[in-house]
Amino acid sequence: MLRWSAVAALLAILAAGLFANWIAPHGYADQDRESPNLSPSRQYPLGTDELGRDRFSRLLYGTRVSLLLAPAAAAISIAVAVALGGFTAYAGAGWARASSLVTDLMLSLPTILILLTVRAMLPLNVSALASIVITCVLIGALNYPPAARVIGAGVDALLKSDFILQARATGQSPGRILIRQLMPGIRPVLIAQFWLLVPVFVMAEANLSLLGLGVSEPMPSWGNLLRELENYSAIPERPWVLAPLGVLMVTVLCLYAILPSGEPA
């Protein structure tokens, strides 16, 4: 029951983001300079920000950006993990050892520190679309080590299994073993790791954008919408600014509730 409730809530949030063009009463960049910092009203359900932009509309568009960015980054991370942690084990001991050294180095450093350092080295004055692409690629490419470890262990176990040994004994080529035997066997691990990474990457994007190193203005995301909370003394007077945080928390909890294992990891 809990899982199905989480699925329903997540689908509702995703649908609100995907159909933001039709649901949002205003554009995410539309400004009403004569109406800054308004309280919620019929025209502005969550009020306006300091530039007179509709918070509700920006929340809808930001939901779409964040919920599409995280799975895309997770797909990139799984691809890198398969290349460096999985098929290097299949390629031979030398490649596996080199991949393990790189993975160990990445795991020994704080991930958020790596993200901040690499992002700060790249141009910050880029278009909103470019900032989305950069954020997605960085989060996905630099957060692969945990998945690489799991995928590498799964591939190694499969290589030692009886059906792989039988396939080799019957003279099947390495390519055929890879496609017909190894890939179907490792698919459940890939799916599980993908779902584990999505909520992690939702939070990673929020952290980067909150610090001004992720999705850039005027494009909204949950991260840069949370920057309004920096003025925490104003929250009691304007509690509706907590709406992005509430949606973020509900989404992450729902994602963990529908993990393949059935439990948060």
Side-chain angles (χ1 to χ4, degrees):
M1 181 63 182
L2 176 62
R3 176 176 289 187
W4 286 111
S5 299
V7 170
L10 191 59
L11 288 176
I13 294 172
L14 180 60
L18 291 178
F19 296 103
N21 289 8
W22 293 272
I23 300 175
H26 306 279
Y28 65 84
D30 293 348
Q31 300 181 16
D32 185 355
R33 293 300 183 92
E34 297 180 358
S35 305
N37 294 319
L38 290 182
S39 300
S41 62
R42 188 169 185 177
Q43 183 180 5
Y44 301 110
L46 290 176
T48 61
D49 62 12
E50 67 277 2
L51 297 178
R53 297 176 298 189
D54 179 32
R55 286 196 181 96
F56 178 67
S57 298
R58 288 179 59 77
L59 177 58
L60 291 176
Y61 283 102
T63 297
R64 178 167 64 186
V65 170
S66 295
L67 282 185
L68 293 181
L69 187 149
I76 293 173
S77 189
I78 292 297
V80 176
V82 168
L84 296 182
F87 293 144
T88 49
Y90 181 77
W95 284 103
R97 191 175 300 109
S99 174
S100 179
L101 288 174
V102 175
T103 301
D104 289 343
L105 176 62
M106 295 290 289
L107 286 172
S108 67
L109 300 173
T111 303
I112 187 63
L113 179 61
I114 298 175
L115 277 173
L116 291 176
T117 302
V118 175
R119 183 63 187 95
M121 294 171 62
L122 298 174
L124 298 178
N125 188 20
V126 296
S127 66
L129 179 59
S131 71
I132 294 175
V133 173
I134 291 173
T135 303
C136 178
V137 173
L138 282 184
I139 292 175
L142 297 178
N143 286 274
Y144 78 90
R149 278 289 180 84
V150 175
I151 294 171
V155 171
D156 187 61
L158 284 173
L159 292 175
K160 298 175 181 177
S161 63
D162 292 339
F163 68 90
I164 293 291
L165 294 176
Q166 182 180 6
R168 287 175 171 171
T170 57
Q172 293 188 29
S173 65
R176 182 178 177 84
I177 293 175
L178 175 65
I179 296 174
R180 299 295 297 273
Q181 307 289 341
L182 195 57
M183 284 300 296
I186 203 65
R187 187 182 298 123
V189 177
L190 301 182
I191 295 174
Q193 288 300 305
F194 175 84
W195 277 109
L196 285 168
L197 289 175
V198 170
V200 175
F201 289 173
V202 167
M203 295 301 299
E205 181 278 323
N207 285 327
L208 276 181
S209 298
L210 177 62
L211 296 172
L213 297 174
V215 179
S216 62
E217 293 282 358
M219 182 67 69
S221 74
W222 286 336
N224 57 33
L225 290 176
L226 290 175
R227 297 183 72 178
E228 281 197 271
L229 301 184
E230 292 175 349
N231 184 17
Y232 58 87
S233 61
I235 294 177
E237 300 176 1
R238 294 180 289 176
W240 48 87
V241 300
L242 292 170
L245 178 61
V247 176
L248 172 63
M249 293 177 63
V250 170
T251 301
V252 171
L253 290 174
C254 289
L255 287 169
Y256 276 122
I258 64 176
L259 285 176
S261 62
E263 298 179 0

